[in-house]
């Protein structure tokens, strides 16, 4: 999902170069391209970006809270079920995919309902820095009098293991059915580029749990 550069709306997603093992491998994107780093996006917030893998563990430590005006707590939606094109049956890769897809659901719910009920589930599948950035994103959306519609979904997924405790997850993200609308008019934000785009995430293994550390979208179109 792309968001325009205009106060007080902040960046929606974290964009950071993909970090790989010392061999310098490049991850293959779902559309057949490759990326050694994230492609330029319409909106950027350097303060929310990072190019290193977080060592912070999961949990709610120092997580910001949504400001007054957030909607009442709601129950997070379940992780979408069903086999996806490219999904692996390997237990490790399935655990990685499960954490990533849980993040997409929690991210969508937080942007949609702007409810703190999504903060704890989101923090359970992300490193602390990504959880903090995602909550700040939701607070910025609330301040801009906008909210999300739909649930961010993925397809054509692939996992590249870059180490015993690290991996890169690539997918095709449905950013056509997941977008921002104005609270007052219920019309889509005209500054957002919608479509199906190649995305990726850096995954890290901490305390026996796979966590999303960096979440990236690109301008590269893909077939959903």
């Amino acid at each position: 999902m792309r968001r325009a550069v205009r106060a007080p709306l902040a960046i929606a997603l974290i964009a950071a170069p993909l970090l790989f093992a010392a061999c310098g491998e490049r991850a293959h994107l779902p559309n057949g391209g490759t990326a050694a780093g994230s492609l330029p996006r319409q909106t950027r917030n350097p303060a929310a970006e990072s190019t290193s893998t977080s060592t912070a563990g999961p949990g709610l430590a120092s997580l910001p809270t949504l400001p007054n005006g957030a909607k009442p707590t709601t129950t997070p939606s379940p992780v979408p079920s069903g086999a996806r094109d490219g999904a692996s049956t390997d237990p490790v890769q399935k655990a990685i995919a499960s954490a990533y897809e849980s993040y997409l659901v929690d991210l969508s719910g937080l942007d949609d309902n702007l409810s703190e009920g999504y903060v704890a589930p989101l923090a359970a599948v992300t490193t602390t820095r990504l959880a903090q950035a995602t909550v700040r994103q939701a607070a910025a959306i609330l301040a801009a009098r906008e909210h999300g519609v739909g649930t961010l979904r993925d397809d054509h997924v692939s996992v590249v293991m870059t180490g015993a405790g690290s991996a890169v997850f690539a997918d095709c993200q449905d950013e056509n059915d997941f977008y921002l609308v104005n609270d007052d008019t219920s019309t889509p934000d005209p500054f957002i580029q919608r479509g199906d785009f190649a995305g990726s995430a850096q995954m890290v293994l901490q305390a026996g749990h796979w966590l999303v550390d960096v979440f990236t979208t690109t301008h590269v179109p893909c077939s959903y």
Side-chain angles (χ1 to χ4, degrees):
M1 174 167 57
R2 309 302 195 276
R3 298 192 175 115
V5 181
R6 67 184 192 283
L9 188 57
I11 186 172
L13 307 173
I14 292 178
L18 302 179
L19 300 183
F20 300 95
C23 62
E25 293 183 10
R26 286 156 40 109
H28 292 276
L29 296 175
N31 69 334
T34 60
S38 59
L39 299 181
R41 305 187 322 106
Q42 288 182 329
T43 59
R44 296 187 65 188
N45 180 1
E49 297 180 2
S50 176
T51 57
S52 62
T53 301
S54 171
T55 57
L60 299 176
S62 303
L63 288 181
T65 57
L66 293 177
N68 292 333
K71 297 180 180 180
T73 298
T74 58
T75 302
S77 303
V79 177
S81 59
R84 289 176 172 76
D85 186 9
S88 173
T89 57
D90 177 82
V92 173
Q93 295 195 9
K94 287 180 65 176
I96 291 172
S98 177
Y100 177 78
E101 290 167 359
S102 293
Y103 173 70
L104 294 186
V105 171
D106 297 331
L107 169 66
S108 303
L110 191 62
D111 286 359
D112 188 354
N113 295 302
L114 301 173
S115 166
E116 291 190 19
Y118 282 89
V119 175
L122 180 142
V125 293
T126 64
T127 56
T128 300
R129 70 168 183 175
L130 181 56
Q132 291 173 334
T134 306
V135 173
R136 287 195 298 268
Q137 162 197 313
I141 293 172
L142 179 65
R145 296 190 58 77
E146 292 185 327
H147 64 276
V149 171
T151 299
L152 186 58
R153 297 177 59 243
D154 64 332
D155 206 343
H156 299 286
V157 303
S158 64
V159 178
V160 177
M161 301 301 299
T162 57
S166 62
V168 171
F169 189 99
D171 68 344
C172 181
Q173 298 169 6
D174 181 357
E175 298 178 31
N176 186 57
D177 297 318
F178 177 60
Y179 54 94
L180 291 182
V181 301
N182 181 278
D183 290 344
D184 299 322
T185 64
S186 296
T187 57
D189 187 327
F191 292 94
I192 297 176
Q193 181 179 348
R194 295 168 62 183
D196 298 324
F197 301 104
S200 66
Q202 292 180 36
M203 310 292 297
V204 295
L205 182 64
Q206 294 180 0
H209 300 283
W210 283 99
L211 308 175
V212 185
D213 188 41
V214 176
F215 178 49
T216 306
T217 60
T218 73
H219 283 290
V220 180
C222 54
S223 299
Y224 190 73

